[in-house]
Amino acid sequence: MRMNEGDYVHGYSEREAERLGDQARTLTSLLHSDTRYPAGSRVLEAGCGTGAQTVILAKSSPDAEITSVDISLNSIRRAEARVRAEGITNVTFQAGDLFSLPFAPESFDHIFVCFVLEHLSDPGQALRLLRSLIRPGGTITVIEGDHGSAYFHPDSAEAKKAIRCLVRLQREAGGNALIGRELYPLLVQAGYADVHVLPRMVYVDASRPALVEGFTRQTFTAMVKGVRDTVLTRELMSPAEWEQGIADLYRTCEPDGVFCYTFFKATGIV
Amino acid sequence: MRMNEGDYVHGYSEREAERLGDQARTLTSLLHSDTRYPAGSRVLEAGCGTGAQTVILAKSSPDAEITSVDISLNSIRRAEARVRAEGITNVTFQAGDLFSLPFAPESFDHIFVCFVLEHLSDPGQALRLLRSLIRPGGTITVIEGDHGSAYFHPDSAEAKKAIRCLVRLQREAGGNALIGRELYPLLVQAGYADVHVLPRMVYVDASRPALVEGFTRQTFTAMVKGVRDTVLTRELMSPAEWEQGIADLYRTCEPDGVFCYTFFKATGIV
């Protein structure tokens, strides 16, 4: 099964677009500060969604020629509006399926893939297809999260169960919310050379209030809350258990709380 | 309950001493490279064990006056032999209980505590007592692991269960194998100022063979294997389940495997 709009586990609401925007701002430096493409290089952003990362990518590499594609026309429209509002002019948008992109082999110097593979039922095949679009010597950069990397203080069985529900629903939609830890074998098996993975751990305690708000509350907990209706309708958790789990995630935002999560950033060469 | 020799979950065998030595060598740079004490400063290493960290500490701060204490006379003897074998002369050893150390208030400029709090039933009280031994303006440095930070590819229910057995046995012995994530609130509540926690994540894939061997195999998996007899005697897992769990930990050392673990390093000021 491949992903279509209806399967996207995070949904497409306004609030979701806001959440992705908040996430992008808080994590920009951690995830993206070391990604810069030279002037004139042809860069494909494969799976741009509503453009949260597109803006960062385009600003960091203002003289690269960026092509951003997504399977959802609705997302593309929002990404275009967002990029236009920022006065960015080096991005071209195009709707398209990652598994049948309308580009000739070796059309790009570099490909950038962020928070996309987690939603695909065959990420290895996607990486192989993308490899054919990169010229020899070009690179791929992949960034993914891993919900199994989330742990916190105080610990909570209900909060962990709520997170496992999100992982399960994403798997049922054909994706893999634990994909971050797999980037190394995925890229090696897809034929990339010099594969290098650098984990980017988000560590949050009360001495880092921007992350308490921007990551623990508005990114991670908001994302878990996004599957509430499905979890309750399908009775994966009781309403009381669910509310306890969410309350316990917020509890980690108190002055004595701690929250940990790790993103994985991988690069490979063709 | 406080820790005594019989309770120490890792045991005191020769193999265990080797394991701690291997661990120290592989992780030295990750954990210790930013700990340096000035010439003439009085440093207390609280809980030196068999001296694996003592050697690193003494070499990194060759002109500091280090006092290393441990509750186990047997460990002290081995630590002394190890330090002597390295030609180190700036360490004095002393047997003593962390909860009743024979030092006057404000006797030290700095205190260093590594892989110790995880074994104590009241780490907060230990941190308060240690604080009284530090002069105003002096610092504490604490390093602890967190077994709940371990995740890997391929994932394995049996390997996770084996790790949970280790966590449970350490808790039953009065300790806490998940203490790394709690260092921030523990130090703040013990009255330290400017508490700063930096996680030190160990990410292991086939491109890092020294860590595959030195960390995944010889440190983490060896540590889990150390509780085998207790787990089987108490029937916490069946022998078949246990062997599968250990085999699955070794499986993460294959070319397509990945292993993640995070240590936490905290500093605070008096």
Side-chain angles (χ1 to χ4, degrees), chain A residues 11-255:
Chain A
Y12 281 94
S13 66
E14 281 303 322
R15 176 160 303 187
E16 176 62 16
E18 260 179 53
R19 185 186 71 75
L20 294 174
D22 287 333
Q23 173 173 333
R25 274 189 294 278
T26 305
L27 299 172
T28 298
S29 155
L30 181 74
L31 299 181
H32 301 294
S33 60
D34 54 351
T35 299
R36 300 260 184 281
Y37 296 112
S41 59
R42 300 157 302 165
V43 177
L44 173 65
E45 183 190 17
C48 63
T50 61
Q53 274 75 42
T54 312
V55 169
I56 300 162
L57 195 63
K59 287 185 172 177
S60 300
S61 302
D63 300 315
E65 297 165 18
I66 300 168
T67 304
S68 294
V69 302
D70 200 272
I71 196 170
S72 159
L73 255 177
N74 191 33
S75 292
I76 289 270
R77 276 189 216 105
R78 291 159 81 165
E80 273 190 309
R82 188 178 225 153
V83 158
R84 209 179 302 126
E86 298 274 351
I88 291 166
T89 58
N90 62 329
V91 182
T92 308
F93 288 96
Q94 194 163 332
D97 184 335
L98 275 196
F99 292 94
S100 57
L101 287 173
F103 303 113
E106 306 185 8
S107 293
F108 296 96
D109 300 302
H110 306 288
I111 292 185
F112 178 83
V113 188
C114 184
F115 305 148
V116 171
L117 298 187
E118 59 167 327
H119 299 294
L120 306 179
S121 61
D122 194 346
Q125 174 65 0
L127 287 169
R128 280 187 292 275
L129 290 171
L130 290 175
R131 186 166 61 89
S132 71
L133 301 182
I134 304 173
R135 62 139 169 102
T139 71
I140 191 163
T141 297
V142 182
I143 301 174
E144 296 289 342
D146 188 317
H147 296 353
S149 75
Y151 53 100
F152 34 83
H153 174 74
D155 205 355
S156 154
E158 289 83 3
K160 287 193 280 196
K161 193 168 177 185
I163 295 167
R164 283 201 303 274
C165 284
L166 177 58
V167 172
R168 172 176 170 174
L169 293 173
Q170 195 154 338
R171 182 169 297 128
E172 289 179 8
N176 177 9
L178 310 178
I179 201 168
R181 71 189 73 174
E182 293 189 40
L183 290 187
Y184 179 81
L186 281 169
L187 265 74
V188 169
Q189 286 158 10
Y192 294 91
D194 291 332
V195 175
H196 191 63
V197 175
L198 271 181
R200 307 286 161 109
M201 183 172 171
V202 185
Y203 168 81
V204 188
D205 64 30
S207 70
R208 310 172 191 226
L211 283 173
V212 171
E213 191 57 29
F215 187 75
T216 310
R217 277 185 201 276
Q218 292 182 21
T219 300
F220 190 83
T221 306
M223 178 178 64
V224 176
K225 284 173 78 176
V227 295
R228 176 182 184 276
D229 292 353
T230 311
V231 168
L232 297 187
T233 303
R234 292 190 40 194
E235 298 181 0
L236 303 179
M237 290 175 76
S238 75
E241 238 186 341
W242 174 264
E243 297 306 333
Q244 187 63 52
I246 298 301
D248 288 347
L249 288 175
Y250 284 127
R251 173 68 183 81
T252 70
C253 297
E254 297 298 309

Side-chain angles (χ1 to χ4, degrees), chain B residues 110-220:
Chain B
H110 306 288
I111 293 185
F112 178 83
V113 188
C114 184
F115 305 147
V116 172
L117 298 187
E118 60 167 327
H119 298 295
L120 306 179
S121 61
D122 194 346
Q125 175 64 0
L127 287 169
R128 281 186 293 276
L129 290 170
L130 291 174
R131 186 165 60 88
S132 71
L133 301 182
I134 304 173
R135 62 139 170 105
T139 70
I140 191 163
T141 297
V142 182
I143 301 174
E144 296 289 343
D146 188 316
H147 295 354
S149 75
Y151 52 101
F152 35 82
H153 173 75
D155 204 355
S156 154
E158 289 83 4
K160 287 192 282 196
K161 193 168 177 185
I163 295 167
R164 283 200 304 274
C165 284
L166 177 59
V167 172
R168 173 177 169 173
L169 293 173
Q170 195 154 339
R171 182 169 297 128
E172 289 178 9
N176 176 10
L178 310 179
I179 201 169
R181 72 189 74 174
E182 293 188 40
L183 290 186
Y184 179 82
L186 280 169
L187 266 74
V188 169
Q189 286 157 12
Y192 292 91
D194 291 332
V195 175
H196 191 64
V197 175
L198 271 181
R200 306 287 162 107
M201 183 172 172
V202 185
Y203 168 80
V204 188
D205 63 31
S207 70
R208 310 173 190 227
L211 283 173
V212 171
E213 192 56 29
F215 187 75
T216 310
R217 276 185 201 275
Q218 293 182 21
T219 301
F220 191 83

